[in-house]
Amino acid sequence: MPALRPGARVAIVAPASAGITAADDAAEWLQARGFVPLVMPASRARLDPPYDYLAGNDADRLADLHAAFADPDVGAVWCLQGGFGSWRLLDHVDYALLRRHAKPFIGYSDITALHLAIQRHAGFVTFHGPMLAQDLLAGKREPTESALLAMVGGQMGPGSWITPPLDAQATELVPGVASGRLIGGNLALIAALTGTRNAIDTRDAILFIEDVNEAVPRVDRLLGQLAAAGKFDGVKGVLVGNFTRVTARMDDDQAQGLVYPLILDQFRARNVPILAGWPSGHGDPNLTLPLGALVTLDTARGALRLDQPVVV
């Protein structure tokens, strides 16, 4: 997959919720960094109630996604924000087209639905990383921006370590080293797609999970659902990202720790390494992860090693 080069065209897409004015602000942000923005039409749209959570109808959002990938002058497809609704596109995506025109696809949260489906049906690396409106316009701190641009720009290759900043170091729940495909994203979306043709494939994988606005009992239920579906059976290691807004009674750093016993309940007997508190997802900073890539998880080092090229 080609790296994103300086001066390249970047398509701004909204496969889920509406951004409207944020799309033009995102275009200015990209221009300031030397890219040529291409604002896709649905990223400036919003439907009427009850579908006002969607940025344009399904056909328009799908057309934007296809056009962005098919355009040979587009160097990356970057999601404006998450929200709700990406799952509505999955059964209509032309995965063969995406595979023929593979390029960096960037987003997280609700965009997890597209990450999982692309892994299943197109088979190229995608990037669980900061979105234009939700993260970069919101001013999330470094290395949110620089880590993403380094990865999709080709400055990180096999043997490179993805390491959190010192003030966002992860917590070793179960020590160990494991290698496998990095797969996952938003826990609620992973659970929602279980039982569908787009369900997560966790065989021989390093599983990454994160979420926002999910209280402890709901996290427990989501984990239990995936365990009952056999989705933890082939996992080689677990990377636990940000769990934010778990409870209003504590700040995010404290509340996140409430999730760890639930994860240990599911994985302790499986004897796989677990690294928690990893700064990817809805927290700040938001480190980019290459989904579908071969990686090594080293809990003692508190880092991930890239074991393959993700762009060239």
Side-chain angles (χ1 to χ4, degrees):
M1 179 165 58
L4 178 64
R5 304 297 181 195
R9 179 176 291 184
V10 174
I12 300 171
V13 296
S17 290
I20 307 184
T21 59
D24 294 305
D25 293 338
E28 291 182 10
W29 187 93
L30 286 166
Q31 282 181 316
R33 282 145 186 83
F35 299 108
V36 179
L38 175 63
V39 180
M40 305 307 288
S43 66
R44 290 191 175 114
R46 175 177 286 148
L47 296 184
D48 293 330
Y51 297 109
D52 51 331
Y53 57 89
L54 295 174
N57 63 43
D58 293 350
D60 290 344
R61 299 190 335 276
L62 182 67
D64 282 0
L65 188 68
H66 285 159
F69 271 96
D71 188 337
D73 293 328
V74 167
V77 181
W78 206 331
C79 295
L80 184 65
Q81 64 179 54
F84 301 92
S86 294
W87 66 269
R88 297 173 62 96
L89 306 183
L90 302 186
D91 289 341
H92 306 286
V93 173
D94 184 344
Y95 295 101
L97 180 149
L98 269 58
R99 184 168 54 248
R100 288 196 305 272
H101 302 280
K103 60 191 67 174
F105 175 69
I106 306 157
Y108 72 105
S109 193
D110 192 75
I111 308 302
T112 293
L114 282 161
H115 285 307
L116 295 180
I118 289 170
Q119 299 307 316
R120 272 282 189 183
H121 308 301
F124 58 88
V125 171
T126 59
F127 297 93
H128 184 284
M131 292 183 285
L132 289 161
Q134 208 159 314
D135 298 78
L136 297 165
L137 292 179
K140 285 199 176 176
R141 61 193 177 91
E142 279 294 317
T144 299
E145 176 185 336
S146 60
L148 169 66
L149 295 178
M151 188 173 292
V152 300
Q155 283 82 57
M156 298 183 69
S160 296
W161 287 91
I162 307 170
T163 305
L166 291 176
D167 60 350
Q169 288 185 328
T171 301
E172 188 180 45
L173 293 187
V174 178
V177 177
S179 299
R181 288 177 307 106
L182 183 62
I183 192 74
N186 182 265
L187 179 62
L189 267 294
I190 295 170
L193 294 181
T194 301
T196 74
R197 65 188 292 267
N198 305 299
I200 193 169
D201 178 4
T202 55
R203 292 170 296 178
D204 299 322
I206 304 298
L207 175 65
F208 167 71
I209 54 173
E210 65 86 41
D211 220 319
V212 61
N213 290 326
E214 295 289 355
V216 169
R218 292 199 294 270
V219 173
D220 193 25
R221 184 182 65 206
L222 292 167
L223 292 169
Q225 177 188 353
L226 291 172
K231 293 302 181 182
F232 297 156
D233 294 347
V235 168
K236 298 295 186 186
V238 181
L239 184 65
V240 183
N242 294 131
F243 275 75
T244 53
R245 301 181 209 159
V246 174
T247 173
R249 299 191 306 273
M250 304 178 186
D251 66 31
D252 283 341
D253 288 340
Q254 289 178 302
Q256 187 158 262
L258 299 176
V259 173
Y260 299 167
L262 310 180
I263 292 167
L264 285 169
D265 282 347
Q266 294 293 347
F267 285 99
R268 187 181 285 109
R270 300 175 191 275
N271 196 32
V272 298
I274 304 174
L275 187 63
W278 179 269
S280 292
H282 289 82
D284 187 9
N286 181 8
L287 291 186
T288 298
L289 295 172
L291 299 178
L294 294 173
V295 300
T296 294
L297 171 66
D298 186 333
T299 64
R301 186 164 181 154
L304 280 179
R305 187 185 69 211
L306 278 177
D307 292 338
Q308 68 166 80
V310 292
V311 294
V312 293

